[in-house]
Amino acid sequence: MPQAAAIVELHHIAANREQTRVFEDLTLSLHAGENVAIIGPNGAGKSTLLKLMTREIYPLHREQSRMTLFGQDRWDILELRQHLGMVSQDLQDDYEPDAHGLEIILSGLYASIGIHAHQSYSEDDVARARELMDLIGIAALEHVPYARMSTGQQRRCLLGRALIHEPGVLVLDEPTSGLDLTATFQYLALMRSLMAAGKTLVLVTHHIHEIPPEIGRVILLRQGSILADGPKRDTLTAANLRELFGTPVALLESGGWYQAVPGDA
């Protein structure tokens, strides 16, 4: 069968965060219709990869390097948001505290943090935002300020913000971090429903329990390099996780869900 269209293609990429070299020679491709988990410890390069995908940073210019998103090497940020929806920890930490729930959803139309006087929204835009809030289960937050929301409520609002353009691809950065058990299960169920509806999910995390059964490919990232990449059943193993995190790991599985627990030293 022919391979699906590429979401992102990185060929021999080098990239810095501030003055630190994170990637020296990274080659990686992700494709539409392929639900993927990218796993790595803190400092592995996950956040830098996200910033490359959202065009917040750019790879270093090298003759042998190439990076494309959806087949193009140049993008207007608003046009990119129509294809790629992102919910990151940085966005959650930095979001405008006074923005109300409906405003958070609408801000995705301009890829802004909060809404501003120069922006305009049609009645159709507002209706679509309210429809999304109903879908995600946050209609009651329409007039609630971001700062007064729980972590889980904030995360759902930002997911609605990412979905307002109806992108085909969603990138979620440690989506259940900081959530209690009930909120975690609710968010995971929402992720699964979006994949069932045809969204491609790219999950970036170091939490093994966040990986839904629908994820078919796992990439292990360590110190800016790919340690392993392949089908989940072959890649998500205790031996690989022990090498990835540098600690003894045992892996439990139930119904397609995995959990890492301490292993024998």
Side-chain angles (χ1 to χ4, degrees):
M1 294 180 62
Q3 194 169 38
I7 299 167
V8 58
E9 290 188 291
L10 306 173
H11 296 278
H12 304 293
I13 289 297
N16 292 345
R17 285 287 300 279
E18 298 177 349
Q19 302 303 314
T20 301
R21 179 64 52 85
V22 178
F23 298 126
E24 183 59 49
D25 187 21
L26 180 67
T27 295
L28 174 67
S29 296
L30 304 176
H31 294 85
E34 177 184 52
N35 297 311
V36 179
I38 302 173
I39 305 172
N42 294 336
K46 302 188 302 297
S47 295
T48 301
L49 180 59
L50 290 178
K51 290 182 181 298
L52 284 167
M53 292 179 67
T54 56
R55 298 314 228 188
E56 293 177 64
I57 64 172
Y58 289 82
L60 300 178
H61 179 71
R62 288 178 169 179
E63 184 175 350
Q64 74 273 25
S65 296
R66 181 167 63 89
M67 175 180 177
T68 60
L69 287 164
F70 301 97
Q72 299 180 200
D73 57 5
R74 295 179 182 274
W75 278 97
D76 174 88
I77 192 67
L78 293 180
E79 292 180 1
L80 180 59
R81 289 295 182 270
Q82 297 176 28
H83 300 270
L84 179 71
M86 173 80 71
V87 181
S88 69
Q89 189 61 53
D90 284 350
L91 176 62
Q92 181 158 3
D93 292 342
D94 296 341
Y95 202 83
E96 171 57 49
D98 295 329
H100 292 187
L102 182 65
E103 296 170 339
I104 295 168
I105 311 297
L106 289 169
S107 71
L109 293 171
Y110 289 90
S112 59
I113 298 180
I115 65 172
H116 306 283
H118 67 277
Q119 298 169 348
S120 61
Y121 302 94
S122 68
E123 291 183 3
D124 287 344
D125 292 336
V126 174
R128 171 61 181 153
R130 286 182 171 138
E131 180 183 324
L132 275 171
M133 296 185 81
D134 283 335
L135 176 69
I136 300 171
I138 53 172
L141 301 178
E142 178 171 341
H143 302 293
V144 177
Y146 183 80
R148 286 177 47 198
M149 296 179 189
S150 69
T151 299
Q153 290 170 336
Q154 292 176 349
R155 199 77 49 85
R156 283 175 175 251
C157 281
L158 294 177
L159 178 60
R161 176 183 182 272
L163 289 170
I164 190 68
H165 278 299
E166 301 186 13
V169 180
L170 281 173
V171 181
L172 302 182
D173 177 19
E174 298 185 1
T176 69
S177 179
L179 304 189
D180 65 22
L181 196 62
T182 299
T184 293
F185 287 173
Q186 290 172 343
Y187 205 94
L188 291 172
L190 185 55
M191 289 163 55
R192 298 185 76 185
S193 70
L194 290 168
M195 285 186 283
K199 301 292 185 187
T200 296
L201 181 66
V202 179
L203 173 64
V204 181
T205 188
H206 60 249
H207 300 298
I208 306 304
H209 72 269
E210 288 187 334
I211 304 173
E214 292 80 4
I215 294 284
R217 177 184 173 193
V218 170
I219 299 166
L220 304 184
L221 191 64
R222 182 184 66 177
Q223 296 179 340
S225 297
I226 295 174
L227 175 66
D229 178 1
K232 180 170 59 179
R233 65 181 179 274
D234 299 328
T235 307
L236 195 61
T237 66
N240 279 346
L241 291 177
R242 178 174 186 148
E243 185 175 357
L244 181 68
F245 290 102
T247 192
V249 174
L251 201 60
L252 307 179
E253 187 272 335
S254 176
W257 297 93
Y258 289 79
Q259 180 61 284
V261 297
D264 296 330

